[in-house]
Amino acid sequence: MSKNKERDKNIQMQNNNGSRDGGAGGKSIPQIKIRLSSQGVNGPDPLSSVTSSNGHSNGNGHGSESIRISEVRPIKVRVGNTERLDSSGNGTARLNGNGNGHGTGLLVASDPTSTAGRLTTSRLRATDLKGMRFRLGQEPPVLVPAPSRRPSVHKRELPYFLMRHRTVRSHSRVGYTRSQVAAVRHGKGGAFKAVMQVSLGMWLLFILLGLSAMGAGVAGATLYVSQLPKIDPQSLAADIQINGVGVQTSKIYDRNGVPLYDLVDEDTGRREELTLERISPLVISATVAAEDGSFYTNAGVDPLAIVRAVRINLSGDGSSGASTITQQLVRQIVLSKDEATESSFTRKIKEAVLAVQLAQTYSKHDIMELFLNQNYYGHRAYGIGAASLVYFGKPAVQLNLAEAALLAGLPQAPTEYDPYIHPDLAAKRQGYVLDQMAKLGMISKDEAAQAKAENGDQKITLKPYKLDIKAPHFVYYVKQYLEKKYGPQASESGLKIYTTLDLNVQQAAEQVARDRIKELRQQSATNAAIVLMKPNTGEILGMVGSVDYNNTAIDGQVNVATAERQPGSSFKPITYATAFKKGWTPGTVVLDTLTSFPNPGQKPYIPRNYDLKDHGWVTVREAIGNSFNIPAVKALQFAGIQDTIDTAHDMGITGLNRGVGWYGLSLTLGGGEVTLLDMTNAYSTFANNGTEVDANPILRIEDAQGRTIYRLDPKNPGGKQALDPRLSYMITNILSDNKARALEFGLNSPLHTSFPSAAKTGTTENNRDSWTMGYTPNLTVGVWVGNSNGTEMLKVTGAIGAAVIWNNMMEKFYANPQFVSLLGDADGKVQRDFVQPGGLIKTYACSARGDINDLFLKDSPPKGCTTYKDKNQQLHSAPSGNSAAPKPNSAPAPGKPVARPTPLPGIGPPVYNP
């Protein structure tokens, strides 16, 4: 017999059937057969067979008897998948004794292969075996003590209050998962339901709190609205006056108190009251499209207008306010001046409530009529009637679609969209209004496109605008400066603005520019611009934007001093200053010969000198003084394009923001656009020992009550150190060295003055722009000559065009003691000579062209030769020694000498370089 069979024990419990008198009932005892096994892990299941059957009796007695086990200890067994079979309904573990007894059967699969292959460990307790008696075999099973009904903290899978008492109470490796516990506790999907119940409760709480806060807010808003003034037609009519609503004139003066311009007339500007019948319907439609597309349907306010305004302003396609036409009218005629300019939530609420009241009091017809008569359209024109006469010289009823769209777009920013000053921005704004009209179905897309065209029936012809104004370009520059600093209300706040401009200096500059342009007309030069600035304070002493503000043939109303143009070679000193930061000096020697510079993805960049010659080994001093192009490109390559742009920004240039890839190595030759004002500011940084001070047109501002609200402090004008003073002086020392530029300019060029000065010229491709930038320790003068529309001039280089004006202006300025007195520092002292700062030495050093003697940093004296060894491909060998003779492949063809400009009156020997 096998060990398994030896360990098997059959336990028979007979069911006795019969009858007894006297009330004793028959017994029905199930026959139970239990076979236990303790086979190893490779044998069959430990409990291979358990059967239960019911006994039957035909006795007459009835009753019940329970068989109890006096002591049954829990046994740890492994049970396979079980199936309960009911013989006749739900059975119990109790033995019933009836005449016809019924019981239940528990069947455990005897075939181990019938299990699912996954065993579940369980424990049988005394209560589970109640009513059963065991007679065990020779080897009793190993008994495992039952664990505590409350497991320790370290044995709990979950907090005990989440564990089900009857099923989860064993070691951490025995029992149920957390999701099963949640299912037992809360039912199927219990965890999700529990979370949802908590979330729902929190949301209900938040809703209740929100309703409470909303109720309090509504109550507060109701109280606030109840205290607002009501719109009264009679009082409103008193506020609407033909002379304007609370407008005070702001005046602009020069530094000595001489009036330059009144930003608004004493009678608050020109006005002409019109009814809607005397205004073109196109103006009304264009105004609705530009300001308030839902004007005829809203109740005075339009919440969606805020979203519309944000989208339009961020897109860059135009600008739009978030207020309706009715709200804007409330600001103009109902709110006080302080309230209208206040930026607060309460003001917005008040404005909206009053706008609703206004919409309920007046018809849309009346509101539109009031609005069109109160708007400010620029150039002292209040109301559409005055605007139509100022800009087009015709009544408002005769305006065509293009003209109506242009005027409708002005009230948002009359100065910014001024068609005389900024025609490109005005056209962009006009296009936006036309597009909005087409979008709203007021006109067709074809009509909008035709109105945008520059010819045809819709062509715009502005009326020549003349004003009794002094220094007009400077005045409008000041106006823009004030509006950016203090807001649009600055023009109508009764301010007295004392500017830095000296009218006598301004008139002298205007005369010098006109005289020279008369001499250059035969060479197709029609316009000039000048900026004069004090380096240490940034004060603008004079600004000539054109030679004739009222001359439309030369686009005289365009301020060239603030327009971006290419500066030509006048940008080179900024490049060399950046190279000085990285180790170059005025004595560094560079090979000036035809050179090919790599240009990834494109053809190599091969610049040429203006005189079409190679000059061999040259020092940086000679390269800057004579404005050689090839060494300047090598300097930019060494300094780095981005670092050079950063230096320009540090020195006061606000442009050059298109990225390194846009400019390339041509940046050093003037390939990036800058303004004359910015270039004058940058050269002022050189003059001010490397300290940059922003250009400043304001000396003092007084409010309407005469109180000073701003004053320039000459002892503390602000500013930042943009360059090491030693490096700045190196540039100044080169630009003031008349001998260094003698090779190309001669010793008597217009760059040479009777007093110490530094200067640099610049000429752009095809002589489109002629520049000269120069300075003394106290004064910086920047000059541009050219045509406003960018057409070419005939051989007007920087030295022939701008340099003559620069020289004449400098000499005239320093010959006038009254002008010189403007240049004193905070103590009234005027510095005449450039002063070398400490930390510089002048010494000898070797180079490829021999010994040189120049400036070096004291803490970085020359060690060995100062020759720059570039790795660019030289297209032909350089001339030997200092010879400037051209090589055969760079010399002009025989019989065709290099064209040289004819000297003009006021110029020294002919010059051949910008």
Side-chain angles (χ1 to χ4, degrees), residues 592-594 608-615 628 630 744 879 884-887 890 898 900 912:
D592 178 21
T593 186
L594 197 61
R608 301 182 70 88
N609 290 325
Y610 183 78
D611 60 3
L612 302 179
K613 296 179 180 180
D614 296 342
H615 306 95
F628 296 148
I630 297 173
E744 294 293 333
K887 290 297 178 181
S890 63
V898 177
R900 296 182 177 180
Y912 315 118

PDB file of all heavy atoms in Angstrom, residues 592-594 608-615 628 630 744 879 884-887 890 898 900 912:
ATOM      1  N   ASP A 592      44.537  93.893 -46.094  1.00  0.00           N
ATOM      2  CA  ASP A 592      43.488  94.474 -46.929  1.00  0.00           C
ATOM      3  C   ASP A 592      43.730  94.072 -48.378  1.00  0.00           C
ATOM      4  O   ASP A 592      44.440  94.757 -49.128  1.00  0.00           O
ATOM      5  CB  ASP A 592      43.484  96.002 -46.784  1.00  0.00           C
ATOM      6  CG  ASP A 592      42.437  96.655 -47.681  1.00  0.00           C
ATOM      7  OD1 ASP A 592      41.483  95.956 -48.079  1.00  0.00           O
ATOM      8  OD2 ASP A 592      42.579  97.859 -47.971  1.00  0.00           O
ATOM      9  N   THR A 593      43.169  92.951 -48.761  1.00  0.00           N
ATOM     10  CA  THR A 593      43.256  92.468 -50.132  1.00  0.00           C
ATOM     11  C   THR A 593      41.970  91.722 -50.450  1.00  0.00           C
ATOM     12  O   THR A 593      41.251  91.274 -49.538  1.00  0.00           O
ATOM     13  CB  THR A 593      44.467  91.544 -50.320  1.00  0.00           C
ATOM     14  OG1 THR A 593      44.597  91.203 -51.709  1.00  0.00           O
ATOM     15  CG2 THR A 593      44.329  90.277 -49.503  1.00  0.00           C
ATOM     16  N   LEU A 594      41.673  91.605 -51.720  1.00  0.00           N
ATOM     17  CA  LEU A 594      40.407  90.999 -52.134  1.00  0.00           C
ATOM     18  C   LEU A 594      40.258  89.621 -51.490  1.00  0.00           C
ATOM     19  O   LEU A 594      41.120  88.752 -51.652  1.00  0.00           O
ATOM     20  CB  LEU A 594      40.364  90.889 -53.653  1.00  0.00           C
ATOM     21  CG  LEU A 594      38.975  90.669 -54.273  1.00  0.00           C
ATOM     22  CD1 LEU A 594      38.049  91.824 -53.954  1.00  0.00           C
ATOM     23  CD2 LEU A 594      39.089  90.479 -55.787  1.00  0.00           C
ATOM     24  N   ARG A 608      34.346  94.750 -51.740  1.00  0.00           N
ATOM     25  CA  ARG A 608      35.419  95.500 -52.390  1.00  0.00           C
ATOM     26  C   ARG A 608      35.525  96.871 -51.745  1.00  0.00           C
ATOM     27  O   ARG A 608      34.545  97.418 -51.223  1.00  0.00           O
ATOM     28  CB  ARG A 608      35.150  95.649 -53.890  1.00  0.00           C
ATOM     29  CG  ARG A 608      35.014  94.323 -54.622  1.00  0.00           C
ATOM     30  CD  ARG A 608      34.787  94.562 -56.112  1.00  0.00           C
ATOM     31  NE  ARG A 608      35.978  95.084 -56.756  1.00  0.00           N
ATOM     32  CZ  ARG A 608      36.953  94.348 -57.276  1.00  0.00           C
ATOM     33  NH1 ARG A 608      36.867  93.014 -57.229  1.00  0.00           N
ATOM     34  NH2 ARG A 608      37.999  94.901 -57.857  1.00  0.00           N
ATOM     35  N   ASN A 609      36.706  97.411 -51.759  1.00  0.00           N
ATOM     36  CA  ASN A 609      36.898  98.768 -51.262  1.00  0.00           C
ATOM     37  C   ASN A 609      36.286  99.775 -52.225  1.00  0.00           C
ATOM     38  O   ASN A 609      36.107  99.505 -53.424  1.00  0.00           O
ATOM     39  CB  ASN A 609      38.388  99.062 -51.085  1.00  0.00           C
ATOM     40  CG  ASN A 609      38.988  98.281 -49.923  1.00  0.00           C
ATOM     41  OD1 ASN A 609      38.327  98.057 -48.915  1.00  0.00           O
ATOM     42  ND2 ASN A 609      40.237  97.860 -50.085  1.00  0.00           N
ATOM     43  N   TYR A 610      35.992 100.950 -51.679  1.00  0.00           N
ATOM     44  CA  TYR A 610      35.332 101.961 -52.492  1.00  0.00           C
ATOM     45  C   TYR A 610      36.209 102.402 -53.661  1.00  0.00           C
ATOM     46  O   TYR A 610      35.719 102.683 -54.759  1.00  0.00           O
ATOM     47  CB  TYR A 610      34.974 103.165 -51.621  1.00  0.00           C
ATOM     48  CG  TYR A 610      34.233 104.244 -52.355  1.00  0.00           C
ATOM     49  CD1 TYR A 610      32.873 104.103 -52.623  1.00  0.00           C
ATOM     50  CD2 TYR A 610      34.885 105.385 -52.809  1.00  0.00           C
ATOM     51  CE1 TYR A 610      32.178 105.086 -53.308  1.00  0.00           C
ATOM     52  CE2 TYR A 610      34.206 106.368 -53.498  1.00  0.00           C
ATOM     53  CZ  TYR A 610      32.851 106.222 -53.746  1.00  0.00           C
ATOM     54  OH  TYR A 610      32.166 107.200 -54.430  1.00  0.00           O
ATOM     55  N   ASP A 611      37.529 102.447 -53.458  1.00  0.00           N
ATOM     56  CA  ASP A 611      38.426 102.871 -54.539  1.00  0.00           C
ATOM     57  C   ASP A 611      38.863 101.713 -55.422  1.00  0.00           C
ATOM     58  O   ASP A 611      39.716 101.877 -56.310  1.00  0.00           O
ATOM     59  CB  ASP A 611      39.650 103.588 -53.971  1.00  0.00           C
ATOM     60  CG  ASP A 611      40.458 102.700 -53.028  1.00  0.00           C
ATOM     61  OD1 ASP A 611      40.082 101.510 -52.871  1.00  0.00           O
ATOM     62  OD2 ASP A 611      41.440 103.187 -52.450  1.00  0.00           O
ATOM     63  N   LEU A 612      38.307 100.534 -55.192  1.00  0.00           N
ATOM     64  CA  LEU A 612      38.593  99.330 -55.979  1.00  0.00           C
ATOM     65  C   LEU A 612      40.063  98.929 -55.894  1.00  0.00           C
ATOM     66  O   LEU A 612      40.600  98.288 -56.802  1.00  0.00           O
ATOM     67  CB  LEU A 612      38.200  99.532 -57.446  1.00  0.00           C
ATOM     68  CG  LEU A 612      36.729  99.901 -57.692  1.00  0.00           C
ATOM     69  CD1 LEU A 612      36.482 100.085 -59.180  1.00  0.00           C
ATOM     70  CD2 LEU A 612      35.796  98.848 -57.120  1.00  0.00           C
ATOM     71  N   LYS A 613      40.743  99.281 -54.809  1.00  0.00           N
ATOM     72  CA  LYS A 613      42.154  98.958 -54.643  1.00  0.00           C
ATOM     73  C   LYS A 613      42.362  98.058 -53.441  1.00  0.00           C
ATOM     74  O   LYS A 613      41.538  98.006 -52.537  1.00  0.00           O
ATOM     75  CB  LYS A 613      42.978 100.241 -54.455  1.00  0.00           C
ATOM     76  CG  LYS A 613      42.985 101.185 -55.645  1.00  0.00           C
ATOM     77  CD  LYS A 613      43.821 102.419 -55.330  1.00  0.00           C
ATOM     78  CE  LYS A 613      43.841 103.385 -56.499  1.00  0.00           C
ATOM     79  NZ  LYS A 613      44.651 104.600 -56.197  1.00  0.00           N
ATOM     80  N   ASP A 614      43.507  97.348 -53.470  1.00  0.00           N
ATOM     81  CA  ASP A 614      43.974  96.622 -52.295  1.00  0.00           C
ATOM     82  C   ASP A 614      45.110  97.422 -51.675  1.00  0.00           C
ATOM     83  O   ASP A 614      45.927  98.012 -52.383  1.00  0.00           O
ATOM     84  CB  ASP A 614      44.491  95.231 -52.683  1.00  0.00           C
ATOM     85  CG  ASP A 614      43.386  94.357 -53.260  1.00  0.00           C
ATOM     86  OD1 ASP A 614      42.214  94.697 -53.038  1.00  0.00           O
ATOM     87  OD2 ASP A 614      43.707  93.366 -53.931  1.00  0.00           O
ATOM     88  N   HIS A 615      45.199  97.423 -50.365  1.00  0.00           N
ATOM     89  CA  HIS A 615      46.182  98.261 -49.685  1.00  0.00           C
ATOM     90  C   HIS A 615      47.153  97.462 -48.829  1.00  0.00           C
ATOM     91  O   HIS A 615      47.919  98.031 -48.053  1.00  0.00           O
ATOM     92  CB  HIS A 615      45.455  99.303 -48.821  1.00  0.00           C
ATOM     93  CG  HIS A 615      44.452 100.103 -49.578  1.00  0.00           C
ATOM     94  ND1 HIS A 615      43.114  99.766 -49.614  1.00  0.00           N
ATOM     95  CD2 HIS A 615      44.586 101.205 -50.383  1.00  0.00           C
ATOM     96  CE1 HIS A 615      42.453 100.625 -50.360  1.00  0.00           C
ATOM     97  NE2 HIS A 615      43.333 101.517 -50.858  1.00  0.00           N
ATOM     98  N   PHE A 628      38.261 101.623 -45.166  1.00  0.00           N
ATOM     99  CA  PHE A 628      38.437 100.454 -46.021  1.00  0.00           C
ATOM    100  C   PHE A 628      37.380  99.396 -45.652  1.00  0.00           C
ATOM    101  O   PHE A 628      37.173  99.100 -44.473  1.00  0.00           O
ATOM    102  CB  PHE A 628      39.836  99.878 -45.850  1.00  0.00           C
ATOM    103  CG  PHE A 628      40.934 100.802 -46.301  1.00  0.00           C
ATOM    104  CD1 PHE A 628      42.182 100.803 -45.666  1.00  0.00           C
ATOM    105  CD2 PHE A 628      40.739 101.672 -47.361  1.00  0.00           C
ATOM    106  CE1 PHE A 628      43.190 101.645 -46.089  1.00  0.00           C
ATOM    107  CE2 PHE A 628      41.740 102.532 -47.787  1.00  0.00           C
ATOM    108  CZ  PHE A 628      42.976 102.528 -47.141  1.00  0.00           C
ATOM    109  N   ILE A 630      37.187  95.951 -46.679  1.00  0.00           N
ATOM    110  CA  ILE A 630      37.600  94.566 -46.421  1.00  0.00           C
ATOM    111  C   ILE A 630      38.074  94.382 -44.980  1.00  0.00           C
ATOM    112  O   ILE A 630      37.657  93.427 -44.315  1.00  0.00           O
ATOM    113  CB  ILE A 630      38.666  94.133 -47.444  1.00  0.00           C
ATOM    114  CG1 ILE A 630      38.078  94.162 -48.859  1.00  0.00           C
ATOM    115  CG2 ILE A 630      39.199  92.741 -47.106  1.00  0.00           C
ATOM    116  CD1 ILE A 630      39.094  93.923 -49.964  1.00  0.00           C
ATOM    117  N   GLU A 744      42.811 108.712 -48.270  1.00  0.00           N
ATOM    118  CA  GLU A 744      41.596 108.767 -49.073  1.00  0.00           C
ATOM    119  C   GLU A 744      40.916 110.126 -49.041  1.00  0.00           C
ATOM    120  O   GLU A 744      40.284 110.529 -50.014  1.00  0.00           O
ATOM    121  CB  GLU A 744      40.610 107.697 -48.603  1.00  0.00           C
ATOM    122  CG  GLU A 744      41.079 106.272 -48.826  1.00  0.00           C
ATOM    123  CD  GLU A 744      41.156 105.919 -50.305  1.00  0.00           C
ATOM    124  OE1 GLU A 744      40.412 106.519 -51.106  1.00  0.00           O
ATOM    125  OE2 GLU A 744      41.985 105.072 -50.667  1.00  0.00           O
ATOM    126  N   PRO A 879      49.455  93.717 -52.228  1.00  0.00           N
ATOM    127  CA  PRO A 879      50.591  94.539 -52.678  1.00  0.00           C
ATOM    128  C   PRO A 879      51.699  94.498 -51.647  1.00  0.00           C
ATOM    129  O   PRO A 879      51.454  94.372 -50.453  1.00  0.00           O
ATOM    130  CB  PRO A 879      49.983  95.939 -52.796  1.00  0.00           C
ATOM    131  CG  PRO A 879      48.497  95.721 -52.859  1.00  0.00           C
ATOM    132  CD  PRO A 879      48.231  94.480 -52.078  1.00  0.00           C
ATOM    133  N   ALA A 884      49.846 101.066 -52.492  1.00  0.00           N
ATOM    134  CA  ALA A 884      48.405 100.969 -52.707  1.00  0.00           C
ATOM    135  C   ALA A 884      48.080 100.699 -54.162  1.00  0.00           C
ATOM    136  O   ALA A 884      46.964 100.842 -54.592  1.00  0.00           O
ATOM    137  CB  ALA A 884      47.716 102.260 -52.258  1.00  0.00           C
ATOM    138  N   ALA A 885      49.078 100.308 -54.931  1.00  0.00           N
ATOM    139  CA  ALA A 885      48.850 100.061 -56.354  1.00  0.00           C
ATOM    140  C   ALA A 885      47.976  98.846 -56.531  1.00  0.00           C
ATOM    141  O   ALA A 885      48.208  97.809 -55.939  1.00  0.00           O
ATOM    142  CB  ALA A 885      50.189  99.855 -57.051  1.00  0.00           C
ATOM    143  N   PRO A 886      46.947  98.924 -57.371  1.00  0.00           N
ATOM    144  CA  PRO A 886      46.040  97.786 -57.549  1.00  0.00           C
ATOM    145  C   PRO A 886      46.689  96.693 -58.374  1.00  0.00           C
ATOM    146  O   PRO A 886      47.584  96.933 -59.180  1.00  0.00           O
ATOM    147  CB  PRO A 886      44.861  98.414 -58.282  1.00  0.00           C
ATOM    148  CG  PRO A 886      45.456  99.562 -59.033  1.00  0.00           C
ATOM    149  CD  PRO A 886      46.567 100.082 -58.170  1.00  0.00           C
ATOM    150  N   LYS A 887      46.255  95.488 -58.148  1.00  0.00           N
ATOM    151  CA  LYS A 887      46.697  94.350 -58.953  1.00  0.00           C
ATOM    152  C   LYS A 887      45.949  94.343 -60.281  1.00  0.00           C
ATOM    153  O   LYS A 887      44.894  94.951 -60.421  1.00  0.00           O
ATOM    154  CB  LYS A 887      46.451  93.051 -58.177  1.00  0.00           C
ATOM    155  CG  LYS A 887      47.379  92.905 -56.966  1.00  0.00           C
ATOM    156  CD  LYS A 887      48.825  92.829 -57.385  1.00  0.00           C
ATOM    157  CE  LYS A 887      49.767  92.739 -56.210  1.00  0.00           C
ATOM    158  NZ  LYS A 887      51.172  92.686 -56.629  1.00  0.00           N
ATOM    159  N   SER A 890      42.208  93.789 -60.233  1.00  0.00           N
ATOM    160  CA  SER A 890      41.347  94.730 -59.540  1.00  0.00           C
ATOM    161  C   SER A 890      41.439  96.134 -60.127  1.00  0.00           C
ATOM    162  O   SER A 890      40.703  97.012 -59.730  1.00  0.00           O
ATOM    163  CB  SER A 890      41.711  94.800 -58.045  1.00  0.00           C
ATOM    164  OG  SER A 890      43.040  95.295 -57.907  1.00  0.00           O
ATOM    165  N   VAL A 898      39.169 105.249 -63.149  1.00  0.00           N
ATOM    166  CA  VAL A 898      38.129 105.231 -62.134  1.00  0.00           C
ATOM    167  C   VAL A 898      37.393 106.567 -62.129  1.00  0.00           C
ATOM    168  O   VAL A 898      38.012 107.628 -62.094  1.00  0.00           O
ATOM    169  CB  VAL A 898      38.746 104.969 -60.740  1.00  0.00           C
ATOM    170  CG1 VAL A 898      37.678 105.021 -59.660  1.00  0.00           C
ATOM    171  CG2 VAL A 898      39.445 103.622 -60.725  1.00  0.00           C
ATOM    172  N   ARG A 900      35.729 109.679 -60.874  1.00  0.00           N
ATOM    173  CA  ARG A 900      35.867 110.423 -59.637  1.00  0.00           C
ATOM    174  C   ARG A 900      34.894 111.597 -59.653  1.00  0.00           C
ATOM    175  O   ARG A 900      34.741 112.266 -60.673  1.00  0.00           O
ATOM    176  CB  ARG A 900      37.306 110.921 -59.468  1.00  0.00           C
ATOM    177  CG  ARG A 900      38.309 109.788 -59.333  1.00  0.00           C
ATOM    178  CD  ARG A 900      39.714 110.311 -59.127  1.00  0.00           C
ATOM    179  NE  ARG A 900      40.653 109.214 -58.917  1.00  0.00           N
ATOM    180  CZ  ARG A 900      41.955 109.395 -58.707  1.00  0.00           C
ATOM    181  NH1 ARG A 900      42.453 110.608 -58.705  1.00  0.00           N
ATOM    182  NH2 ARG A 900      42.738 108.348 -58.514  1.00  0.00           N
ATOM    183  N   TYR A 912      37.488 109.964 -52.439  1.00  0.00           N
ATOM    184  CA  TYR A 912      37.059 108.785 -53.191  1.00  0.00           C
ATOM    185  C   TYR A 912      36.432 107.722 -52.293  1.00  0.00           C
ATOM    186  O   TYR A 912      36.170 106.627 -52.748  1.00  0.00           O
ATOM    187  CB  TYR A 912      38.261 108.181 -53.918  1.00  0.00           C
ATOM    188  CG  TYR A 912      39.124 109.201 -54.605  1.00  0.00           C
ATOM    189  CD1 TYR A 912      40.445 109.375 -54.230  1.00  0.00           C
ATOM    190  CD2 TYR A 912      38.602 109.999 -55.613  1.00  0.00           C
ATOM    191  CE1 TYR A 912      41.231 110.334 -54.855  1.00  0.00           C
ATOM    192  CE2 TYR A 912      39.384 110.953 -56.238  1.00  0.00           C
ATOM    193  CZ  TYR A 912      40.698 111.113 -55.859  1.00  0.00           C
ATOM    194  OH  TYR A 912      41.477 112.060 -56.470  1.00  0.00           O
TER     195      TYR A 912
END
